[in-house]
Amino acid sequence: MDIDTDFDTDFDFDTVIDRTGTWSVQWDGVADRFGAAAAHGMLPFTISDMDFASPPVVLDALHRRIAHGVLGYTDWRNEDFLSAVRLWFATRYDTAIDTDRLVYAPSVLNQLSQLLRMWTGPGDGVVVHTPTYDGFLKAIAGLGRELRGAPVGDTAALERQLARPGSKVLLLCSPHNPTGRVWTEGELTEFARLAEVYGVAVISDEIHADFLHVGGVRHLPWTRFGTGRWALITSGSKAFNFPALSGSYGLVGDPGDHAAFVRRMATGEGLESPAVLALIAHIAAYREGGPWLDALNTYVGQNLLLVAERLNSAFPQLDWRPPEAGYLAWIDLRPLGIDDDALQRELVEVEKVAIMRGSTYGAGGDGFVRLNVGCPRAKAERGVDALIRALGRLAS
């Protein structure tokens, strides 16, 4: 794959920042997934946030706002925020959007839960591509809806699931997590056609849209394809690494659905006023953060190439290739015939690294691992080398 290897050296992605003791889910919360006994000294490559500081333009804007000193109730429906979102879609995705259709919520998963409550009832089917983001699995199960999976790339299976009685929503991850696949225009057009044929609403989670690595690949927002009942949900927090600020936004196609969502957040959920620092971060990132993001994508692309080179050198039969999008290396280890449980024991107990097992992401995940390389190169090297050593012991 053709990944750009030139980036702006004005940005420092190599410096290791100690995140321990900051209540980090990835670093301080590793015991929750891997056990307290094994967690001491563990190097994590798990939840999808990055080990990089947020962009200087974002940090500067936050400092200025905090220096003002008054952090009162805030209205997200202000032109500074709306124009920043319009600018981002126009410049990054070549797409004009109607910000009259914008909604706001604390997180993308909160938006998803609100929409599922609006558009489905208990027991209704939510169709996803498998394997799938584990946050989707938890939300669907937690709301008492039925997950109906179709393997990534199997359009016939997708249509069968959409055609089933009770299927109410097609939930897209675009680009796809965990595989890193960027849906083509043809695929998105077909998803829209099938949704219309079977009367299914579409929710498109596009939070990974700003991480594209392979030359010629484009992210196409669902606003270009949506008809009938649909929503696009996203946030700048993934690309610019500020999820702890708690802020996301979406676009809801139908005016009645849009009004219902806004009313729901303002009344039943009590979430009309957003965290002001999340708004500040979005505005700064979308207006001034493009060069930092371009440099980040190149750096992460180099991390992914590093994984491919070292992994394929040790195990040519894997022929692993970097994803089209994201900083998550979804690695198919099935050609090695290694037991998933045995591999996890080697990684956790011997190598002291935490790497997500593929079964975390549901059907189609067995035999895979997901390695987060949104980190300084030195850490990425340690992770892939530990994986190679563990695989070598089990394959010998």
Side-chain angles (χ1 to χ4, degrees):
M1 290 188 174
D2 181 18
I3 295 178
D4 184 14
T5 57
D6 295 323
F7 68 96
D8 190 336
T9 55
D10 289 340
F11 300 112
D12 176 14
F13 300 111
D14 283 324
T15 296
V16 175
I17 300 173
D18 183 3
R19 298 181 64 192
T20 58
T22 65
W23 312 313
S24 162
V25 173
Q26 180 168 185
W27 287 84
D28 298 320
V30 70
D32 294 340
R33 286 186 185 269
F34 294 89
H40 180 69
M42 185 88 70
L43 188 66
F45 299 85
T46 53
I47 193 169
S48 56
D49 70 0
M50 297 184 287
D51 290 327
F52 306 120
S54 296
V57 294
V58 170
L59 297 177
D60 289 346
L62 293 173
H63 288 150
R64 289 194 300 271
R65 184 62 183 84
I66 290 171
H68 178 270
V70 181
L71 302 173
Y73 291 117
T74 304
D75 188 351
W76 60 268
R77 287 161 290 198
N78 65 76
E79 188 56 24
D80 285 337
F81 175 64
L82 299 180
S83 65
V85 175
R86 284 196 300 269
L87 176 67
W88 193 251
F89 272 73
T91 56
R92 302 302 285 202
Y93 316 134
D94 191 26
T95 299
I97 60 168
D98 180 3
T99 47
D100 286 344
R101 293 287 174 267
L102 213 69
V103 297
Y104 198 90
S107 69
V108 165
L109 283 177
N110 179 270
Q111 288 189 72
L112 172 61
S113 293
Q114 303 300 338
L115 291 163
L116 289 178
R117 288 188 180 102
M118 289 170 57
W119 294 347
T120 68
D124 283 343
V126 179
V127 180
V128 301
H129 289 98
T130 55
T132 195
Y133 167 44
D134 56 324
F136 287 178
L137 303 178
K138 294 172 185 175
I140 293 167
L143 291 171
R145 277 51 170 175
E146 180 185 328
L147 184 141
R148 297 178 176 180
V152 169
D154 190 338
T155 305
L158 180 67
E159 181 166 11
R160 288 194 296 271
Q161 294 290 20
L162 293 172
R164 290 176 57 189
S167 289
K168 296 294 180 64
V169 166
L170 169 59
L171 175 54
L172 296 177
C173 200
S174 180
H176 186 260
N177 177 11
T179 67
R181 178 166 176 166
V182 177
W183 303 114
T184 66
E185 183 174 9
E187 288 171 324
L188 292 166
T189 300
E190 180 64 4
F191 297 161
R193 185 190 72 81
L194 291 173
E196 183 175 12
V197 166
Y198 295 106
V200 171
V202 177
I203 303 171
S204 183
D205 174 355
E206 304 191 4
I207 199 169
H208 289 273
D210 294 315
F211 295 101
L212 301 184
H213 304 302
V214 180
V217 171
R218 311 174 52 212
H219 171 71
L220 299 172
W222 188 254
T223 55
R224 291 169 171 250
F225 304 92
T227 59
R229 175 166 274 179
W230 63 268
L232 182 162
I233 56 179
T234 191
S235 173
S237 64
K238 188 72 67 178
F240 296 98
N241 208 35
F242 53 81
L245 296 184
S246 297
S248 75
Y249 64 92
L251 292 154
V252 178
D254 178 77
D257 286 335
H258 175 269
F261 188 101
V262 172
R263 184 169 57 251
R264 182 185 191 94
M265 297 302 287
T267 56
E269 300 299 322
L271 292 171
E272 186 172 24
S273 178
V276 65
L277 296 184
L279 290 181
I280 295 295
H282 273 95
I283 293 166
Y286 284 175
R287 285 181 177 173
E288 304 176 76
W292 181 91
L293 181 63
D294 292 339
L296 170 73
N297 271 323
T298 298
Y299 188 90
V300 169
Q302 291 174 337
N303 280 353
L304 291 165
L305 285 175
L306 169 79
V307 173
E309 289 165 0
R310 296 196 180 185
L311 197 60
N312 293 335
S313 176
F315 304 101
Q317 63 268 48
L318 293 181
D319 191 26
W320 186 78
R321 302 187 182 186
E324 295 173 318
Y327 51 80
L328 306 170
W330 181 246
I331 304 171
D332 184 0
L333 300 174
R334 291 174 297 178
L336 300 180
I338 289 172
D339 178 73
D340 289 353
D341 291 335
L343 176 59
Q344 283 298 314
R345 285 193 296 271
E346 288 290 321
L347 292 172
V348 171
E349 297 173 13
V350 180
E351 296 295 340
K352 302 294 286 184
V353 295
I355 299 174
M356 300 300 294
R357 61 193 301 158
S359 60
T360 303
Y361 309 98
D366 289 340
F368 289 76
V369 293
R370 196 190 80 170
L371 176 71
N372 178 348
V373 294
C375 59
R377 185 135 314 123
K379 182 188 175 191
E381 289 175 339
R382 290 177 63 186
V384 69
D385 288 347
L387 176 62
I388 289 169
R389 287 193 299 268
L391 291 172
R393 288 192 295 272
L394 293 171
S396 60

